[in-house]
């Protein structure tokens, strides 16, 4: 079975961490990639969680620096609710804290519901997996919307995937797992929170209980309830520390089962 050290290396988690250094490095990455791609905008969905909050702060600072250098650059924050979002106040607070150049809102409920209705009409009945499958549809519809906006704005889509979610495979394949750039890659959850705090993000958003909020029958269900382990255990694992054997086994099970999510499509032959 793959060892802890090999996973840490594969996910790009560094042994040392300094929030100020990470901010500088990741802003520089966003600036360079936008210029080299000959695009003029970054697009990011803002959920109200610390991940999109942090990525949004980095993106806004990157485009501001590019404009100061005489280049054309814009950051577009996109609100993507499924009807009425349970934590809408947090999403609004995140947008306010980031101060994006432009804010757009796309309600994905009509598109997601229409697609699910078409699937059901075709004779496929997910039964007890209905809300889980609909949750993945929501994530993919959000990415469809972001790419439509990016295409119209000569932009690139920012993803919020990071080492903790990558370790657990906790994202939707071709949904929130699809993006052009991942400015949080290699960071675990506690390091993302440290970066967010250093960027001046509000404390109540930095320390908000993480939730994907995809399943309609379990709104705002904490990520940790799904994992069966805590973020502290996941973060300790990624930093090379020892954790309880049961937690290690749960993490390794999730990592191995989600290997297909971290791989490119498999060619025949």
């Amino acid at each position: 079975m793959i060892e802890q050290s090999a996973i840490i290396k594969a996910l790009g988690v560094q042994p040392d961490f300094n929030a100020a250094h990470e901010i500088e490095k990741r802003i520089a990455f966003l600036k360079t990639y936008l210029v080299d791609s000959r695009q003029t905008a970054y697009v990011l969905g803002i959920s109200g969680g610390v991940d999109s909050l942090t990525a949004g702060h980095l993106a806004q600072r990157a485009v501001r620096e590019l404009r100061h250098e005489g280049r054309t650059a814009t950051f577009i924050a996109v609100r993507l609710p499924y009807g009425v979002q349970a934590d809408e106040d947090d999403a609004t607070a995140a947008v306010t804290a980031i101060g994006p150049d432009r804010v757009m809102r796309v309600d994905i409920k009509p598109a997601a519901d229409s697609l699910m209705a078409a699937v059901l009409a075709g004779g496929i009945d997910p039964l007890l997996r209905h809300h889980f499958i609909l949750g993945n549809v929501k994530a993919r519809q959000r990415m469809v919307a972001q790419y439509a906006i990016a295409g119209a704005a000569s932009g690139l889509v920012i993803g919020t995937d990071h080492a903790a979610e990558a370790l657990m495979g906790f994202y939707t394949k071709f949904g929130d797992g699809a993006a052009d750039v991942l400015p949080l890659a290699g960071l675990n959850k506690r390091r993302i929170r440290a970066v967010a705090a250093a960027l001046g993000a509000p404390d109540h958003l930095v320390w908000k209980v993480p939730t994907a909020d995809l399943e309609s029958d379990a709104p705002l269900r904490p990520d940790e309830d799904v994992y069966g382990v805590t973020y502290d255990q996941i973060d300790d694992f990624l930093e090379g520390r020892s954790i309880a054997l049961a937690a290690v086994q749960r993490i390794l099970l999730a990592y191995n089962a989600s290997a297909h999510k971290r791989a490119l499509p498999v060619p025949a032959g």
Side-chain angles (χ1 to χ4, degrees):
M1 184 175 289
I2 189 168
E3 295 182 355
Q4 180 179 4
S5 59
I7 294 175
I8 292 169
K9 182 178 180 180
L11 297 180
V13 181
Q14 300 301 309
D16 300 316
F17 171 77
N18 177 277
H21 171 70
E22 294 296 336
I23 290 170
E24 181 181 351
K25 179 178 72 174
R26 291 163 195 276
I27 288 174
F29 160 73
L30 287 170
K31 290 170 61 179
T32 299
Y33 196 84
L34 191 67
V35 171
D36 289 349
S37 300
R38 298 184 180 180
Q39 301 297 294
T40 58
Y42 274 125
V43 176
L44 171 64
I46 303 298
S47 66
V50 69
D51 299 339
S52 63
L53 171 69
T54 306
H57 269 294
L58 294 172
Q60 187 60 47
R61 291 199 180 192
V63 299
R64 284 176 181 165
E65 289 187 14
L66 285 172
R67 289 199 297 268
H68 183 72
E69 295 166 9
R71 297 184 180 275
T72 300
T74 304
F75 173 52
I76 304 171
V78 190
R79 290 287 302 109
L80 297 157
Y82 175 78
V84 178
Q85 183 170 318
D87 55 351
E88 180 65 37
D89 288 347
D90 288 341
T92 299
V95 170
T96 300
I98 294 166
D101 296 316
R102 184 176 180 184
V103 181
M104 296 183 64
R105 184 183 183 89
V106 178
D107 184 355
I108 62 157
K109 190 175 192 305
D113 287 352
S114 178
L115 179 57
M116 280 298 291
V119 169
L120 293 173
I124 301 295
D125 186 354
L127 295 176
L128 296 178
R129 287 175 58 82
H130 177 90
H131 290 290
F132 175 80
I133 293 170
L134 176 58
N136 284 328
V137 169
K138 293 176 188 177
R140 291 178 178 126
Q141 289 291 357
R142 288 185 172 117
M143 196 52 70
V144 167
Q146 289 174 79
Y147 269 101
I149 293 168
S154 297
L156 299 170
V157 175
I158 292 175
T160 59
D161 187 36
H162 51 79
E165 288 185 350
L167 176 66
M168 303 302 291
F170 197 64
Y171 54 90
T172 298
K173 195 173 185 177
F174 305 123
D176 50 322
D180 294 306
V181 291
L182 300 174
L184 305 182
L187 296 175
N188 59 14
K189 183 64 80 171
R190 70 166 59 107
R191 291 180 177 183
I192 289 173
R193 284 175 168 145
V195 168
L199 287 164
D203 284 347
H204 75 283
L205 296 180
V206 172
W207 297 103
K208 178 183 176 182
V209 174
T211 172
D213 194 28
L214 288 178
E215 299 184 40
S216 300
D217 61 339
L220 300 181
R221 182 184 183 188
D223 295 350
E224 293 176 330
D225 285 1
V226 181
Y227 292 154
V229 291
T230 67
Y231 268 114
D232 278 340
Q233 290 172 315
I234 291 169
D235 290 348
D236 283 346
F237 180 92
L238 288 169
E239 292 175 14
R241 297 188 175 93
S242 296
I243 60 174
L245 178 59
V248 172
Q249 292 173 334
R250 180 68 189 91
I251 288 170
L252 292 179
L253 180 64
Y255 183 78
N256 291 321
S258 60
H260 66 97
K261 292 186 175 184
R262 296 181 295 274
L264 293 172
V266 180

